[in-house]
Amino acid sequence: MFISATMQAQTKRIHPEGEYYLQGVMETACGFLFKADSSFEFFFSQGALDRSGSGKWTVENDMLVLNSTIALPDPFSLKRKSRKSSASITIEVVDLNPALYSYVLCRAYSNGKQVDGTLSSSGSLELPIQTIDSLELQFLFCPEKKTRLIPGSGEENHFVFQLDPSIMDYPFKDFRLKLSSNQLTGRNPILEGDHFTYIKSRK
């Protein structure tokens, strides 16, 4: 009887279904919704920054493991490139809220050197180089979102990009949180640090 009860206790699985909310971070709303079909949703809001995500959850011992189920596209897609009579490299991003221009970092590599800058109020940037070996764009609101371009011929000097609508979706890959009966502990997808607590809602 004792052995049977011990084995049942060891194999008892904790079910995470429910809503969990981040604790102890001022002016920040963040949480997870775990559903019985093993799917989850994530939200984060802090000032002007709103991010979200979704995917599937699994349980490994006392750890909740989160993975996105849809491969997210590159944050920036190249719409066109051309050669213009200019001594500089021009980068444009179209169909973007002008308030976000300054949050697009452009970095070019040319002959072993690195040159970078952010978009102007018109949504463009001119870099004082004539050719590039590679070009990288990063959305600073989502620092993990980068697009790297290696030009084919190396002759083009005018590049026009478009921001993907899913830019604010967080890509979960083996994201782990320690699971107990009414809380989660571990990292936060957006904030720096390893020790955050999420408490299960009593609703």
Side-chain angles (χ1 to χ4, degrees), residues 36-149:
D37 64 357
S38 296
S39 66
F40 75 89
E41 296 176 6
F42 164 75
F43 78 91
F44 179 94
S45 181
Q46 185 182 71
L49 177 61
D50 292 309
R51 299 200 61 181
S52 60
S54 62
K56 290 287 187 179
W57 59 264
T58 56
V59 174
E60 296 181 5
N61 298 318
D62 62 347
M63 301 296 292
L64 196 59
V65 184
L66 311 182
N67 283 287
S68 298
T69 53
I70 300 176
L72 298 176
D74 281 344
F76 297 90
S77 59
L78 181 65
K79 293 194 67 174
R80 58 183 180 274
K81 57 183 179 178
S82 60
R83 178 71 187 178
K84 293 191 174 183
S85 57
S86 172
S88 61
I89 298 291
T90 301
I91 303 165
E92 289 185 53
V93 177
V94 296
D95 300 331
L96 176 64
N97 184 337
L100 299 178
Y101 285 151
S102 62
Y103 294 98
V104 177
L105 173 66
C106 307
R107 179 175 290 124
Y109 298 89
S110 176
N111 298 320
K113 296 182 179 181
Q114 174 185 312
V115 183
D116 55 27
T118 55
L119 298 181
S120 68
S121 58
S122 64
S124 64
L125 171 67
E126 288 195 9
L127 298 176
I129 51 178
Q130 296 184 355
T131 61
I132 60 172
D133 300 318
S134 64
L135 182 64
E136 184 178 270
L137 274 69
Q138 181 182 26
F139 190 49
L140 297 178
F141 262 150
C142 311
E144 80 281 0
K145 297 293 185 77
K146 298 180 182 180
T147 291
R148 190 173 181 86
L149 170 71

Side-chain angles (χ1 to χ4, degrees), residues 151-166:
S153 65
E155 297 296 323
E156 297 87 356
N157 63 358
H158 184 206
F159 302 88
V160 180
F161 291 88
Q162 186 171 28
L163 193 69
D164 189 86
S166 67

